[in-house]
Amino acid sequence: MAEITYHKQDSTRKAIIFDMDGTLFQTNKVLEISLFETFNYLKSINEWENEIPIEKYREIMGAPLPTVWETLLPNHTEDIREFTDSFFLKVLVENIRNGKGDLYPNVEDIFNYLKDNNWSIFIASNGLKEYLKAIVRFYHLDNWILDFYSIEEIDSLNKSDLVEFILKKHNIKKGAVVGDRISDINAAKDSGLVSIGCNFDFARDEELAKADYIIDDLIELKSIVHKL
């Protein structure tokens, strides 16, 4: 299993683990243009002829990319899916580096608050490492986060296993998982952490209902973290 690109030694006891897409990063701002570029290219090589499935993608937002392409390209070969995955990642990273995305409001404010109050910050995402690295570097998130982890590092591609991996590696004894989808909420519960659901762009009411707390803005984490 490959080592993550970023790593800082620590003896963490308490931490907040954030999802990336739809939690810290407004993925929708680069999603549509990247998906359109990808499927337009598939059209140009005669591998796609229908409308671009942007709505279907939004429905499965946050799923591991192999699942995404199985859903969006159900009748295509595995080779085409792998090619599409690689092309989409390249386009997505380029759009991030060109500043076409954005963080959600108050990311820096809440990161400063957590750091000032001795909470370690991690990112655990279903996104690929190169994608996450592009966001971390462009927005200088490494000024606050201790490390970031991709689902690629876990053979099961299960967010709960990824969070458990982080807990063991950094000796985390208490904390919370902050995210917008059921995989984040389940990861918190499976690991004995507090689950905080973000009622943002891609969130679903039936999934958020299972969280310990629901927030409409990241700044609301201050009062919740204080209770922890």
Side-chain angles (χ1 to χ4, degrees):
M1 192 174 294
E3 281 293 320
I4 195 71
T5 304
Y6 281 74
H7 176 63
K8 304 172 186 178
Q9 295 293 334
D10 71 296
S11 55
T12 300
R13 291 289 179 175
K14 62 178 185 176
I16 307 297
I17 301 173
F18 289 87
D19 177 42
M20 179 66 88
D21 293 320
T23 299
L24 296 176
F25 186 65
Q26 296 186 56
T27 316
N28 55 313
K29 292 194 174 183
V30 295
L31 169 65
E32 291 194 16
I33 54 175
S34 301
L35 205 66
F36 269 85
E37 288 179 46
T38 299
F39 274 85
N40 281 332
Y41 184 77
L42 290 179
K43 285 184 178 181
S44 75
I45 59 173
N46 298 317
E47 289 293 344
W48 187 260
E49 58 183 20
N50 301 317
E51 291 186 5
I52 296 172
I54 185 69
E55 290 301 328
K56 183 176 288 187
Y57 187 85
R58 286 172 176 164
E59 292 175 4
I60 58 174
M61 182 67 189
L65 280 176
T67 302
V68 169
W69 302 122
E70 287 173 8
T71 303
L72 299 187
L73 301 171
N75 300 319
H76 288 67
T77 66
E78 190 60 34
D79 286 344
I80 291 297
R81 290 175 187 165
E82 290 179 0
F83 168 80
T84 304
D85 183 56
S86 177
F87 188 90
F88 180 71
L89 177 61
K90 179 181 177 181
V91 170
L92 200 55
V93 167
E94 287 178 355
N95 283 326
I96 292 167
R97 290 172 177 167
N98 289 331
K100 294 182 179 179
D102 203 359
L103 299 178
Y104 277 98
N106 297 313
V107 169
E108 292 187 10
D109 286 346
I110 196 61
F111 276 9
N112 281 325
Y113 175 83
L114 293 173
K115 192 171 182 179
D116 289 346
N117 285 274
N118 300 315
W119 285 89
S120 293
I121 304 168
F122 296 92
I123 293 172
S125 172
N126 283 337
L128 301 180
K129 286 187 287 188
E130 288 303 309
Y131 166 71
L132 298 175
K133 188 192 301 183
I135 297 172
V136 168
R137 286 182 172 175
F138 187 84
Y139 296 100
H140 306 292
L141 298 184
D142 47 326
N143 288 334
W144 298 278
I145 68 170
L146 193 63
D147 219 332
F148 71 90
Y149 294 88
S150 164
I151 200 68
E152 285 184 283
E153 300 194 64
I154 300 298
D155 292 336
S156 67
L157 299 181
N158 185 297
K159 179 67 82 67
S160 293
D161 293 338
L162 181 60
V163 168
E164 186 64 30
F165 172 72
I166 295 171
L167 297 188
K168 290 180 179 178
K169 183 172 182 178
H170 294 279
N171 194 31
I172 297 169
K173 301 302 181 183
K174 68 176 181 178
V177 176
V178 182
D180 65 318
R181 300 308 300 268
I182 192 64
S183 60
D184 304 302
I185 295 168
N186 287 340
K189 294 183 179 299
D190 291 343
S191 302
L193 302 180
V194 172
S195 58
I196 303 174
C198 297
N199 188 23
F200 299 167
D201 294 314
F202 300 103
R204 296 181 179 179
D205 291 341
E206 66 272 18
E207 295 182 359
L208 292 179
K210 299 179 181 180
D212 296 315
Y213 297 93
I214 300 174
I215 60 174
D216 296 307
D217 189 301
L218 288 169
I219 206 67
E220 296 173 37
L221 288 173
K222 287 185 178 182
S223 60
I224 298 173
V225 167
H226 182 71
K227 298 175 184 178
L228 300 181

